[in-house]
């Protein structure tokens, strides 16, 4: 039995036993002493709701019949966190994650231990625990690979459970309205249908391990600057067809246990007390059965929030603790609303399985983590430019100059609550600011220990491969001048709490690459960025690989892609603009007065961000304005070459079926992401086109495949504000198919009635 099947077998065994184990534990708790139990195993206490054959809702009903008011109230808010004044004594039981809600042992209800997990289980180092640093979520989205997204989520779910967590705080799906948003790397890009489907698979992967998943941040937390009091102003149709559509797809398809309401106000009302968002849209229109959890300190009221649909306040109970109890006593919040909150929480606990399958901590499977992280990066990196210099012919290479971005020791990661601690700490030596200056500490970029230099050397053992840090341009130029190939690594660090000042690469990096390209005609750039950057040197270099934040096996994956051991197959899930002037807002909107400190939970009078571009996010904006991007949405090269032919589209019973043929017209195997867009009739008032489907097609040299896609009705519909619902707009449509949003050689008209 190899290590992996052993691991799987243990997990299966764990699952079979688990709900009995819980019942035993509950028995101990109820008997008040474990003493007798140690001598003679107690009979497992089986509660009326222990029967997994009952429906989750029925089980929740049964628990609630036995609950006191105090017990109910204890479930609807967090207990605080270490160091937070007013935290509850129960916090001693916390597993040390971002959030903790004590369970009720007498009723067999487990503690809720929550950990951030956007790109892997976050911030585990201070507990001395290992977690896999995955490539960024935007990287994953750029794979357009839903099975891979499930594996990404499944790895996160498995490691959360191994590390003792039963609730995940990940699932970020805020649309990339502004590429300078400091959390762009945590989210799934600019298209709601791609983002919604990808995040849905991640959530399914997480919940397959009986860990409660979430989507966040609901809604329109699309920039970090002034996030606690920004007021997102946008029309109903525009938001339903853009940001909210990504959430709708995730909620309807993946049934996440939680939706996290966001910091900003939406159309004048804080998200966590926004009845339109929480009640009308999420719970009524989408039928969401889970619970609404507030972002940390995003709740600002008791009665308003409770009546609007907030079900759990985090991280503590400043509004949903004693004040909620008083509001219920005074009749300002009906008991039925509290019962609904509790029922949603309990029902979800049963539905996802955290009661029947309590977490049993064990050591994460590091090697499985490595394999998944590498696979994700190899399918996510996007080859943006190749004049023919790539793939590097290993056998013919005698010298390479590797330059910049600590490529000798590591690869960059994104910061904030999504920060995954690399084992052994930062790959570079940094003087850490004192522990008292948390913000300064958070700002330090972490380089995951995966050395591109070492991985490159492994491909060309015969060659001389040198490394220059890039801090002195003259030294880098000297190294590049004498080398056959120069590979320049460029980076841009992003983190939660702040936005990027511009799209420019920081420091001397633009000058560095320009100088290197001047002396070496075979200069290749590898980008380690959270999102798009400007590339004033784009014409001067021969190859560009966007590697994103590439995760714990980033070095190996990048080398495999450069040498063609793996064919690049990622496609941009976000538009790369030429300059900020092309964006809806030339710069990030700032509140009046001094800039608020990142993470400071300070409230000020709201300031408006007018999302007047509406549903025209990303490529839709560029299409509508006839702007030519630097690299369009959906773009990415392969070492193979593909041709498209024979598009056919037909509508039967409201459902659109699209088929076409993709052929590999090159002499090497490769994978193509084929993209399907829909052009609406002009009167529909839609953006020029909408992505409605895609397929990842792996093709041997010379092979071809007929692809058939059945498109969901929702993706053909427009949101009708009067009717508060989706509907089809009759008229003539154009189905368009090809390799990117700006290269759609096949077109086919269809009529919708
Ligand atoms: C972030 C959330 C995160 C939470 C808990 C907040 O500051 O916005 O994404 O889950 O903290 O760490």
């Amino acid at each position: 039995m190899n290590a992996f099947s052993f691991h799987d077998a243990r997990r299966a065994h764990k699952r079979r036993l688990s709900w009995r184990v819980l019942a035993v534990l509950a028995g101990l708790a109820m008997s008040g002493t474990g003493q007798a139990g140690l001598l003679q195993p107690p009979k497992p206490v089986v509660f009326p709701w222990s029967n997994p054959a009952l429906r989750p809702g029925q089980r929740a009903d049964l628990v609630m019949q036995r609950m006191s008011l105090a017990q109910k109230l204890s479930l609807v808010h967090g207990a605080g966190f270490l160091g937070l004044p007013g935290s509850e004594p129960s916090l001693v039981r916390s597993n040390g994650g971002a959030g903790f809600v004590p369970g009720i042992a007498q009723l067999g209800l487990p503690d809720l231990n929550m950990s951030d997990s956007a790109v892997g289980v976050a911030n585990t180092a201070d507990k001395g625990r290992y977690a896999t640093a995955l490539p960024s979520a935007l990287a994953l989205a750029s794979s357009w690979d839903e099975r891979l997204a499930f594996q990404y989520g499944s790895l996160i779910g498995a490691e959360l459970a191994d590390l003792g967590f039963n609730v995940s705080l990940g699932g970020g799906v805020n649309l990339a309205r502004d590429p300078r948003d400091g959390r762009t790397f945590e989210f799934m890009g600019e298209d709601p249908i791609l983002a919604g489907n990808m995040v849905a698979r991640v959530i399914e992967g997480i919940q397959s391990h009986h860990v409660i998943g979430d989507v966040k941040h609901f809604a329109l937390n699309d920039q970090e600057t002034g996030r606690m009091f920004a007021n997102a102003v946008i029309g109903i149709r525009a938001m339903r067809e853009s940001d909210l559509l990504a959430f709708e797809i995730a909620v309807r398809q993946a049934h996440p246990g939680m939706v996290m309401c966001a910091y900003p106000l939406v159309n004048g009302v804080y998200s966590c007390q926004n009845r339109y968002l929480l009640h009308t849209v999420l719970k009524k229109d989408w039928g969401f059965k889970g619970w609404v959890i507030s972002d940390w300190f995003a709740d600002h009221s008791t009665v308003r929030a409770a009546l609007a649909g907030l079900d759990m306040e985090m991280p503590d109970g400043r509004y949903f603790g004693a004040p909620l109890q008083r509001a219920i006593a005074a009749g300002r919040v009906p008991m039925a609303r509290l019962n609904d909150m509790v029922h949603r929480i309990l029902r979800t606990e049963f539905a996802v399985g955290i009661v029947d399958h309590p977490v049993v901590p064990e050591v994460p499977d590091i090697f499985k983590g490595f394999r998944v992280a590498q696979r994700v990066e190899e399918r996510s990196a996007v080859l943006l430019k190749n004049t023919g210099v790539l793939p590097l012919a290993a056998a013919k290479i005698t010298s390479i100059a590797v330059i910049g971005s600590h490529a000798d020791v590591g690869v960059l990661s994104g910061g904030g609550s999504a920060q995954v601690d690399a084992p052994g700490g930062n790959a570079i030596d940094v003087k850490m600011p004192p522990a008292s200056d948390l913000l300064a500490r958070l700002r330090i970029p972490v380089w995951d220990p995966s050395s591109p230099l070492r991985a490159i050397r492994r491909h060309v053992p015969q060659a001389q491969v040198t490394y220059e840090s890039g801090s002195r341009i003259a030294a880098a130029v000297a190294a590049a001048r004498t080398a056959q190939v120069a590979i320049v690594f460029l980076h841009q660090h992003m983190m939660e709490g702040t936005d990027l000042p511009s799209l420019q690469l920081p420091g001397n990096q633009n000058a560095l690459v320009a100088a290197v390209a001047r002396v070496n005609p075979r200069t290749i750039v590898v980008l380690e960025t959270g999102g798009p950057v400007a590339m004033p040197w784009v014409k001067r270099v021969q190859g560009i690989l966007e590697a994103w934040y590439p995760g714990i096996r980033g070095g190996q994956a990048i080398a495999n892609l450069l040498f063609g051991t793996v064919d690049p197959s990622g496609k941009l899930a976000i538009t790369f603009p030429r300059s900020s002037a092309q964006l809806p807002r030339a710069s990030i909107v700032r509140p009046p007065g001094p800039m608020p400190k990142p993470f400071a939970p300070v409230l000020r009078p709201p300031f408006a961000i007018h999302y007047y571009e509406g549903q025209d996010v990303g490529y839709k904006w560029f299409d509508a304005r006839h702007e030519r991007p630097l690299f369009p949405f959906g773009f990415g090269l392969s070492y193979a070459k593909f041709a498209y032919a024979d598009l056919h589209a037909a509508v039967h019973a409201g459902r659109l079926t699209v088929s076409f043929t993709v052929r590999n017209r090159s002499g090497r195997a490769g994978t193509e992401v084929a993209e399907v867009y829909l052009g609406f009739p002009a009167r529909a008032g839609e953006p020029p086109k909408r992505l409605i489907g895609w397929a990842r097609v792996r093709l041997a040299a010379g092979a071809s495949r007929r692809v058939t896609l059945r498109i969901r009705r929702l993706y053909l519909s427009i949101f009708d504000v009067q009717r508060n619902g989706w509907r089809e707009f009759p008229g003539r449509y154009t189905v368009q198919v090809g390799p990117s949003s700006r290269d759609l050689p096949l077109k086919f008209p269809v009529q919708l009635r």
Side-chain angles (χ1 to χ4, degrees):
M1 197 186 262
N2 65 31
F4 305 113
S5 52
F6 172 66
H7 189 79
D8 291 342
R10 272 192 67 186
R11 196 178 292 288
H13 180 63
K14 204 163 89 178
R15 237 175 249 147
R16 273 198 303 278
L17 284 181
S18 49
W19 83 272
R20 269 170 220 287
V21 170
L22 179 71
V24 172
L25 291 177
L28 289 176
M30 285 191 89
S31 67
T33 164
Q35 208 62 43
L38 291 178
L39 301 172
Q40 200 183 7
K43 275 211 170 112
V45 175
V46 177
F47 300 105
W49 53 87
S50 301
N51 178 2
L54 296 175
R55 281 185 287 108
Q58 287 176 304
R59 298 174 75 180
D61 290 339
L62 292 170
V63 183
M64 288 186 66
Q65 288 169 11
R66 298 258 190 102
M67 285 180 91
S68 67
L69 177 64
Q71 284 173 330
K72 289 177 183 172
L73 283 162
S74 74
L75 286 189
V76 298
H77 61 84
F81 53 68
L82 201 65
L84 183 71
S87 290
E88 293 174 10
S90 64
L91 197 67
V92 292
R93 295 209 306 273
S94 160
N95 192 34
F100 177 74
V101 180
I104 304 168
Q106 297 91 311
L107 302 176
L109 301 175
D111 292 341
L112 296 180
N113 274 298
M114 310 179 175
S115 173
D116 277 298
S117 52
V119 302
V121 187
N123 301 304
T124 55
D126 54 355
K127 283 142 246 142
R129 299 174 191 159
Y130 174 85
T132 300
L134 287 159
S136 65
L138 181 60
L140 176 68
S142 303
S143 73
W144 302 54
D145 186 337
E146 292 181 62
R147 281 170 58 188
L148 190 69
F150 182 89
Q151 292 165 18
Y152 189 98
S154 177
L155 185 84
I156 291 175
E159 291 194 353
L160 281 165
D162 288 344
L163 297 174
F165 295 104
N166 52 9
V167 181
S168 153
L169 307 169
V173 73
N174 294 97
L175 278 206
R177 283 181 182 270
D178 196 310
R180 294 157 299 195
D181 174 5
R183 300 187 85 170
T184 302
F185 74 99
E186 282 187 61
F187 306 146
M188 298 275 181
E190 70 192 25
D191 183 82
I193 296 181
L194 178 64
N197 278 277
M198 293 299 282
V199 84
R201 302 294 88 74
V202 172
I203 294 160
E204 285 162 1
I206 290 173
Q207 295 198 155
S208 73
H209 290 273
H210 308 296
V211 170
I212 292 172
D214 71 321
V215 268
K216 69 185 186 186
H217 309 81
F218 192 59
L220 288 135
N221 191 167
D222 296 343
Q223 72 170 47
E224 289 295 277
T225 303
R227 67 179 180 176
M228 299 295 292
F229 50 96
N231 177 23
V233 181
I234 186 170
I236 297 291
R237 175 172 172 187
M239 74 164 116
R240 296 292 294 252
E241 292 190 7
S242 59
D243 293 59
L244 267 53
L245 177 55
F247 283 92
E248 176 166 4
I249 292 168
V251 166
R252 286 189 192 274
Q253 292 186 15
H255 311 291
M258 307 185 303
V259 169
M260 185 189 284
C261 53
Y263 290 121
L265 303 88
V266 174
N267 292 332
V269 184
Y270 284 112
S271 294
C272 293
Q273 58 188 45
N274 194 313
R275 195 169 157 84
Y276 174 72
L277 285 180
L278 306 186
H279 178 77
T280 308
V281 176
L282 177 65
K283 292 181 177 174
K284 231 171 96 249
D285 291 357
W286 302 347
F288 174 64
K289 291 203 172 73
W291 83 83
V292 177
I293 180 172
S294 78
D295 198 345
W296 271 228
F297 306 109
D299 177 24
H300 306 299
S301 61
T302 301
V303 177
R304 268 195 89 170
L307 298 183
L310 178 66
D311 300 306
M312 180 185 279
E313 182 196 6
M314 290 305 286
D316 58 15
R318 60 192 63 189
Y319 294 105
F320 272 30
L324 182 58
Q325 185 169 9
R326 287 196 293 272
I328 288 169
R332 284 182 295 131
V333 172
M335 186 58 110
R337 182 71 258 277
L338 176 66
N339 285 339
D340 177 46
M341 296 174 193
V342 175
H343 194 272
R344 285 171 172 276
I345 295 165
L346 296 179
R347 190 204 153 274
T348 303
E349 293 189 11
F350 289 116
V352 179
I354 69 164
V355 182
D356 299 341
H357 309 268
V359 290
V360 179
E362 61 178 80
V363 178
D365 184 342
I366 293 173
F367 296 102
K368 180 167 185 186
F370 278 0
R371 282 192 316 196
V372 174
Q374 185 167 335
R375 189 182 311 141
V376 171
E377 177 59 13
E378 287 176 348
R379 294 186 197 177
S380 307
V382 181
L383 183 60
L384 294 174
K385 178 170 180 179
N386 185 14
T387 59
V389 67
L390 293 169
L392 295 169
K396 295 199 194 133
I397 287 184
T398 54
S399 58
I400 302 179
V402 174
I403 295 162
S405 300
H406 305 291
D408 53 337
V409 290
V411 289
L412 189 56
S413 65
S417 62
Q419 181 78 62
V420 177
D421 294 321
N426 206 331
I428 64 165
D429 281 334
V430 267
K431 195 166 167 300
M432 282 308 267
S436 55
D437 195 348
L438 197 62
L439 190 58
R441 284 184 160 232
L442 280 171
R443 282 187 199 276
I444 305 265
V446 174
W447 299 79
D448 292 337
S450 169
S451 159
L453 177 68
R454 223 176 328 135
I456 288 169
R457 283 191 174 138
R458 234 173 256 149
H459 281 268
V460 283
Q462 78 287 358
Q464 198 199 5
V465 184
T466 61
Y467 176 72
E468 269 299 328
S469 74
S471 60
R472 288 185 310 121
I473 293 183
V477 166
R481 185 173 282 136
T482 54
Q484 244 178 356
V485 179
I487 307 176
V488 187
F489 286 77
L490 303 175
H491 69 273
Q492 164 223 50
H493 185 243
M494 268 188 183
M495 64 176 274
E496 180 188 339
T498 53
D499 296 313
L500 298 176
S502 77
L503 294 172
Q504 296 304 319
L505 286 163
N508 70 354
Q509 297 186 92
N510 282 337
L512 170 71
V513 67
V516 168
R518 227 170 277 134
V519 298
N520 191 312
R522 296 174 80 197
T523 296
I524 296 157
V525 166
V526 176
L527 290 162
E528 289 170 23
T529 65
V533 287
M535 302 181 206
W537 33 262
V538 66
K539 290 216 172 81
R540 306 219 195 132
V541 300
Q542 278 62 53
I544 305 173
L545 181 72
E546 173 54 83
W548 314 110
Y549 298 147
I552 193 64
R553 296 288 278 183
Q556 290 83 347
I558 290 167
N560 284 348
L561 289 158
L562 294 176
F563 286 94
T565 316
V566 173
D567 185 60
S569 57
K571 298 267 179 104
L572 295 179
I574 189 167
T575 302
F576 276 47
R578 283 174 193 281
S579 80
S580 305
Q582 293 184 305
L583 298 171
R585 284 157 293 279
S587 54
I588 289 274
V589 182
R590 296 165 61 125
M595 276 292 279
K597 278 226 170 77
F599 297 107
V602 211
L603 285 189
R604 286 205 219 147
F607 70 104
I609 306 175
H610 291 277
Y611 288 124
Y612 65 90
E613 74 277 19
Q615 62 271 65
D616 287 5
V617 180
Y619 66 92
K620 293 168 182 164
W621 170 259
F622 278 70
D623 283 354
R625 308 275 293 208
H626 306 288
E627 286 282 354
R628 201 161 57 87
L630 180 58
F631 295 108
F633 175 82
F635 175 77
L637 300 169
S638 156
Y639 296 142
K641 298 257 174 304
F642 303 97
Y644 287 76
D646 302 329
L647 172 61
H648 183 79
V651 185
H652 288 298
R655 203 127 180 193
L656 174 68
T657 305
V658 178
S659 19
F660 54 91
T661 303
V662 188
R663 183 168 58 87
N664 181 349
R665 57 184 180 83
S666 74
R668 53 183 298 149
T671 299
E672 169 70 338
V673 176
E675 302 164 32
V676 182
Y677 295 82
L678 189 64
F680 283 67
R683 280 179 312 115
E686 282 296 303
K689 63 176 178 282
R690 182 194 282 184
L691 176 78
I692 53 166
W694 60 92
R696 261 182 83 91
V697 194
R698 173 145 184 88
L699 289 171
S704 61
R705 170 126 29 105
R706 187 88 188 142
V707 176
T708 300
L709 296 172
R710 280 163 57 77
I711 313 293
R712 287 172 194 262
R713 275 184 106 141
L714 176 64
Y715 305 164
L716 313 179
S717 304
I718 63 171
F719 191 81
D720 186 328
V721 178
Q722 255 77 52
R723 290 199 222 165
N724 188 47
W726 293 94
R727 73 170 170 97
E728 278 159 30
F729 188 89
R732 211 172 143 81
Y733 290 68
T734 315
V735 175
Q736 305 162 48
V737 174
S740 97
S741 68
R742 284 288 169 109
D743 183 5
L744 298 164
L746 307 184
K747 301 208 171 12
F748 200 96
V750 285
Q751 183 76 30
L752 285 188
R753 29 190 123 251

